[in-house]
Amino acid sequence: MQNSDNSLPATASAAPVDNPPRRNRFALSGRSIAIDPRREAARRDLADVRLADRVFAPHYAAPLQRVTTKATALRFARDVDSEQLAVLNPGEVFEVLELSGGLAWGSAPAQQLVGYVAAADLGLPA
């Protein structure tokens, strides 16, 4: 190949190569811990980022705080017939990790429970 003479000459990097910056890291050692899916927001496909040092998941999400606008059922599963874990009263905080199909999955910190609520029953944070 022929050089086009349009390239600039290579210059030395300003950062020393011998001392790369240290990174804060953690390592999972052994198996993931057993968790209660009613109490900790972790599924096979998604987990709360606050659990990243204890649970492996393909994806992690940071919770978005929302406030309930009316009384709404917190359910264990997506189905409307699934077990109702609690009723969230208007003004209660719900930490959303996923919005899909009209439902929000996440945690209700006041009850220390994880489940699904109707996304339409959630407003903006207070």
Side-chain angles (χ1 to χ4, degrees):
M1 280 180 69
Q2 185 177 6
N3 186 352
S4 66
D5 294 325
N6 290 335
S7 301
L8 296 174
T11 59
S13 172
V17 177
D18 296 337
N19 296 324
R22 291 186 56 98
R23 292 183 182 177
N24 291 332
R25 290 187 175 188
F26 64 88
L28 293 174
S29 57
R31 295 177 178 245
S32 293
I33 61 169
I35 62 158
D36 181 357
R38 296 170 194 261
R39 301 268 178 211
E40 302 205 68
R43 306 184 313 208
R44 297 184 89 172
D45 63 332
L46 178 66
D48 188 323
V49 72
R50 296 172 290 193
L51 299 174
D53 62 339
R54 294 178 279 156
V55 176
F56 174 78
H59 302 281
Y60 295 96
L64 298 173
Q65 287 194 350
R66 295 292 180 252
V67 176
T68 55
T69 57
K70 62 181 185 177
T72 187
L74 177 68
R75 300 200 175 274
F76 180 68
R78 296 183 66 86
D79 300 329
V80 101
D81 297 332
S82 73
E83 177 186 358
Q84 181 174 316
L85 301 173
V87 174
L88 304 182
N89 295 314
E92 286 194 55
V93 171
F94 185 76
E95 297 178 335
V96 178
L97 295 167
E98 178 188 55
L99 287 168
S100 175
L103 296 174
W105 177 74
S107 62
Q111 289 81 9
Q112 297 180 347
L113 292 170
V114 173
Y116 292 86
V117 298
D121 296 345
L122 299 175
L124 296 176

